[in-house]
Amino acid sequence: MKFVLAGFAFVCVLTACTQKPAPAPAPATAASVPKAVTAAPASTTFSPPAESAIPAGPLGDVIRQGRDIFTDTPTHAKAYVGNGLSCSNCHLDAGRQANSAPLWGAYGVYPQYRKKNGKVNTFGERLQGCFRFSMNGKAPPLDSAEMVALETYAWWMAGGAPVGKKLPGAGYPKAGFKPPQPPDYARGETVFKNNCALCHGDDGQGQQVAGRNVFPPLWGPQSFNWGAGMHQLDNAAAFIKANMPFSRGNTLSDQDAWDVAMYMDAHERPQDPRFDGSVGETRKKYHDTPMSLYGTEVQGHLLGAPTGRH
């Protein structure tokens, strides 16, 4: 698949891989992912417990540890993080906010089969994937203190939620969310400059205070890697539409959300850790969807090429 996007030139130097994938259709529809749970009735609502309701004692201590890891992951799970992101960068309000993949919407739908790795995953294994891909790091052992704390925090957050039901507000609102026109890089750049650069910077590298990200990097070496779910256009567009600009969700048009998702995801980022030496083969095995720009050409540059510099 080849995207020729006017007005953009990558700085990456491509020398190690010249294989090009077979053409794929323009990214106009969401990828179909098998679901292991059924949607809850539209009338179902759920509100997570207030933070003030965290109990005292040893259990509460572990819940608070999980909250701290979730909101400042590089500090509290340093050994497993390879970039500058925290869990709460994509799961807003410490994992509480609806339509930003809240913890209360995720905990009760596991175990479930995931096409991404072709097996049934426990909730802990799902969290391990977040560290590997979104955090560009390594998976904590399932019995590690960090993993126990995160699972305990999620369990507490989901207290009282029905098990095995997809609740309204869980995940990102992708159902039926399609671009009126195919996403466009040039339009997306304009949307980014007008709505996103104030927080994320003109270069997309975010902003830090005292060495901690206040607004996260959206691409480059400190962002999520090519295996993360947010690199897929439908995930990014749905998240952006519902939540961005920060505190002003649902103010961008559908087209603007898709266009700026294209702009963000058309930038280089760390390699997919499943990379097998060939961008084309890695795309064929793990990114065979029009929602992924991995392994596609943009202005003559192959996204995901291992010699690209950020």
Side-chain angles (χ1 to χ4, degrees):
M1 179 166 62
K2 182 175 181 181
F3 288 87
V4 180
L5 303 168
F8 178 76
F10 277 105
V11 295
C12 58
V13 179
L14 309 175
T15 59
C17 180
T18 59
Q19 181 174 355
K20 300 178 183 178
T29 59
S32 175
V33 179
K35 302 295 182 183
V37 297
T38 57
S43 60
T44 301
T45 59
F46 180 78
S47 296
E51 190 169 297
S52 60
I54 297 176
L59 177 61
D61 291 342
V62 175
I63 293 170
R64 279 182 282 272
Q65 180 188 6
R67 177 203 59 197
D68 292 345
I69 294 170
F70 199 86
T71 56
D72 188 4
T73 319
T75 296
H76 298 285
K78 184 178 181 180
Y80 306 107
V81 177
N83 58 22
L85 299 184
S86 290
C87 304
S88 56
N89 290 142
C90 293
H91 311 274
L92 304 179
D93 191 20
R96 306 174 65 85
Q97 186 162 311
N99 295 320
S100 66
L103 284 178
W104 51 260
Y107 185 81
V109 299
Y110 283 88
Q112 68 168 272
Y113 175 82
R114 298 191 71 221
K115 185 178 179 181
K116 185 168 186 172
N117 56 22
K119 67 176 186 177
V120 172
N121 288 190
T122 65
F123 185 70
E125 289 172 323
R126 178 66 180 88
L127 293 178
Q128 286 182 320
C130 292
F131 277 94
R132 190 180 180 202
F133 300 113
S134 295
M135 307 311 221
N136 193 37
K138 61 182 181 180
L142 289 173
D143 62 351
S144 65
E146 291 85 356
M147 191 64 70
V148 170
L150 284 171
E151 289 198 64
T152 304
Y153 179 53
W155 163 82
W156 172 81
M157 185 82 75
V163 174
K165 299 290 185 180
K166 184 175 180 180
L167 299 174
Y172 303 135
K174 296 194 294 182
F177 184 51
K178 300 177 182 179
Q181 304 176 56
D184 180 80
Y185 179 93
R187 290 196 307 260
E189 183 176 21
T190 299
V191 176
F192 183 86
K193 289 179 178 178
N194 292 339
N195 297 277
C196 313
L198 179 65
C199 293
H200 296 286
D202 292 335
D203 60 358
Q205 299 310 293
Q207 296 186 50
Q208 290 191 340
V209 173
R212 178 181 174 185
N213 280 313
V214 178
F215 298 105
L218 302 180
W219 58 79
Q222 291 302 310
S223 190
F224 53 89
N225 68 40
W226 280 111
M230 196 60 77
H231 99 278
Q232 296 192 159
L233 294 176
D234 55 342
N235 288 335
F239 172 81
I240 291 166
K241 172 67 178 181
N243 299 288
M244 294 291 131
F246 187 68
S247 78
R248 293 191 290 119
N250 290 303
T251 60
L252 293 177
S253 70
D254 291 358
Q255 188 66 60
D256 284 349
W258 279 93
D259 288 342
V260 79
M262 163 69 83
Y263 177 74
M264 178 181 79
D265 284 343
H267 284 75
E268 274 294 357
R269 57 190 65 261
Q271 181 59 266
D272 189 327
R274 301 166 297 182
F275 178 68
D276 61 4
S278 164
V279 171
E281 287 301 314
T282 303
R283 176 178 172 83
K284 182 178 179 181
K285 189 171 183 179
Y286 300 111
H287 299 273
D288 188 18
T289 164
M291 292 300 131
S292 175
L293 297 180
Y294 181 91
T296 67
E297 284 190 3
V298 179
Q299 288 286 84
H301 294 279
L302 192 65
L303 290 172
T307 53
R309 63 183 178 89
H310 301 282

